[in-house]
Amino acid sequence: MDHPHLPTTESAVTAIREVAREFDLEMSVTDDIGADRTSRRTSSGAFAVLDPDGSLPHEAFIELGGRPAVTVQVFPEDDAKITVDGLEFADVPRDSVPAFLRSVHGGLAHVKGRFFPPGWWLVVPLPGDETYKELVLRGTLSPWMSGQVR
């Protein structure tokens, strides 16, 4: 089930829960609600308690079980940081998170090596023309990543 737009942190968590069910993954969620609890505050002033729309800012940290080790930090500002086996993908649009997780757990994500410039890249293709790539630093290729080399 695709979500055309995930307007809130709560709807993103619900969509991630669906992906976890699809792939039979355990999931734990930690919610931080309120300006004093969220890690970044760009949507409202420094001492503001509410966001401009009158809502409390809501951030969620999600850990998914299974391999690879995946965590998702959903921010109030419509984006997320997804960490796959210690490799961070920052600034992933909130709407793209379910497709990103399906790509990782569905076997589409893969590791590509290049001689020049040298290095390994974790490549996460999404439907359409969206692709995320992060450089895997030397020596940090996890066992799961090693199994995804193409």
Side-chain angles (χ1 to χ4, degrees), residues 71-149:
T71 62
V72 182
Q73 193 166 5
V74 181
F75 298 106
E77 292 85 11
D78 292 336
D79 69 324
K81 176 176 72 180
I82 302 174
T83 306
V84 179
D85 272 355
L87 192 61
E88 284 186 6
F89 291 82
D91 304 319
V92 176
R94 185 160 48 202
D95 292 349
S96 298
V97 171
F100 188 105
L101 296 174
R102 281 189 181 95
S103 180
V104 167
H105 289 288
L108 295 174
H110 58 279
V111 173
K112 257 191 165 129
R114 292 213 317 244
F115 287 113
F116 196 81
W120 294 99
W121 293 83
L122 178 55
V123 180
V124 183
L126 271 50
D129 285 340
E130 211 176 345
T131 300
Y132 291 88
K133 289 184 218 177
E134 281 298 325
L135 179 64
V136 181
L137 298 176
R138 188 175 308 199
T140 60
L141 207 58
S142 70
W144 177 83
M145 287 183 207
S146 295
Q148 307 305 312
V149 172

Side-chain angles (χ1 to χ4, degrees), residues 32-38 40-41 43-58 76:
D32 286 317
I33 299 173
D36 57 333
R37 300 284 306 274
T38 55
R40 4 182 254 217
R41 296 299 304 137
S43 54
S44 61
F47 299 103
V49 175
L50 302 175
D51 277 343
D53 66 358
S55 66
L56 283 170
H58 178 189

